[in-house]
Amino acid sequence: MGRLIVTEFTSLDGVAQAPGAPEEDPEGGFEYGGWQAPLMNAEVGGLIYEQAKGMGALLLGRRTYDIFAAYWPEVPDEVDFSALLNRVPKYVASRTLKEPLSWQNSKVLGGGLAEGVAELKDRYERVHVIGSLDLVQSLLGQGLVDRLNLWVHPVVLGGGKRVFEGAAMPAAMRLAQSRTFENGIVQLEYELDGKPAVGDMTT
């Protein structure tokens, strides 16, 4: 059985909306699209690629798929991340998108979300999800995430779509690895570890 690994780029207050570009996702009047770009550097980009290069398949939500499909096929395969994303099998969780899809090696995820994810885990050792906030909300709500890879950036955005919006299934998490960078980014890898424990600090 494979594993589902979610990678999200967030602000200190948990906002993960539109990190890459101003017009990526202006829903709700979000004014800070592209907030991640000033903090990207070769060291950060290199580790993002190192973590991604072992993916067996990529699962995306509809909005993120459209953004990626419009961008990555145009980037030369001499760029390692482009070669990786263009090569791996890609699946889109969408009720409206129809095949055939324009981006090579792309398919619409079949069946319900839980059944589709289970089928991907049967076929691939590592299934990655990048961005795709609406999809991630559903994956967290159904307890389908095995590892959560958070890139926390030193910026507070005050509003916007967050990784955890209240629909996630309650879960304890075990910190598997962490890294810090000189520009203030902290990268945290969590494994889901059962249900939250409770206690009484007054005793």
Side-chain angles (χ1 to χ4, degrees), residues 41 52 57 69 84-85 91 158 168 172 202-203:
N41 59 33
L84 171 66
L85 295 185
Y91 296 84
T202 66
T203 59

Side-chain angles (χ1 to χ4, degrees), residues 3-202:
R3 310 183 74 224
L4 187 74
I5 301 165
V6 169
T7 296
E8 291 291 345
F9 306 101
T10 83
S11 65
L12 282 174
D13 53 339
V15 175
Q17 184 171 352
E23 300 304 318
E24 187 175 297
D25 180 8
E27 186 175 336
F30 187 66
E31 298 179 356
Y32 297 102
W35 55 266
Q36 183 189 16
L39 293 162
M40 281 294 292
N41 59 33
E43 184 184 15
V44 170
L47 182 55
I48 292 171
Y49 173 72
E50 284 299 313
Q51 293 178 339
K53 71 179 184 180
M55 74 171 70
L58 179 62
L59 173 62
L60 299 170
R62 170 66 185 272
R63 184 191 295 270
T64 302
Y65 175 82
D66 286 343
I67 293 170
F68 280 23
Y71 178 77
W72 288 110
E74 304 302 319
V75 178
D77 280 354
E78 286 76 12
V79 177
D80 290 336
F81 208 78
S82 175
L84 171 66
L85 295 185
N86 288 325
R87 172 181 53 81
V88 298
K90 292 165 283 287
Y91 296 84
V92 192
S94 173
R95 296 184 181 90
T96 58
L97 202 59
K98 303 297 182 184
E99 294 182 359
L101 303 178
S102 58
W103 195 8
Q104 65 190 59
N105 303 323
S106 296
K107 295 181 179 179
V108 175
L109 186 70
L113 184 59
E115 294 80 5
V117 168
E119 182 178 339
L120 292 183
K121 287 184 178 183
D122 283 340
R123 296 181 61 187
Y124 305 102
E125 184 176 349
R126 296 175 66 186
V127 180
H128 283 237
V129 180
I130 301 173
S132 307
L133 272 179
D134 291 341
L135 171 61
V136 168
Q137 299 294 334
S138 298
L139 293 169
L140 290 169
Q142 296 185 42
L144 299 175
V145 177
D146 297 300
R147 175 172 283 219
L148 186 59
N149 182 13
L150 296 177
W151 288 81
V152 183
H153 295 67
V155 59
V156 174
L157 298 174
K161 299 178 185 177
R162 289 175 164 83
V163 176
F164 301 103
E165 291 284 6
M169 180 180 293
M173 294 192 180
R174 178 181 62 84
L175 183 63
Q177 195 162 11
S178 65
R179 301 172 181 86
T180 60
F181 297 84
E182 289 186 2
N183 63 3
I185 292 176
V186 178
Q187 189 263 329
L188 304 167
E189 293 183 65
Y190 287 103
E191 302 276 354
L192 269 71
D193 192 26
K195 295 183 178 180
V198 298
D200 187 347
M201 294 179 65
T202 66

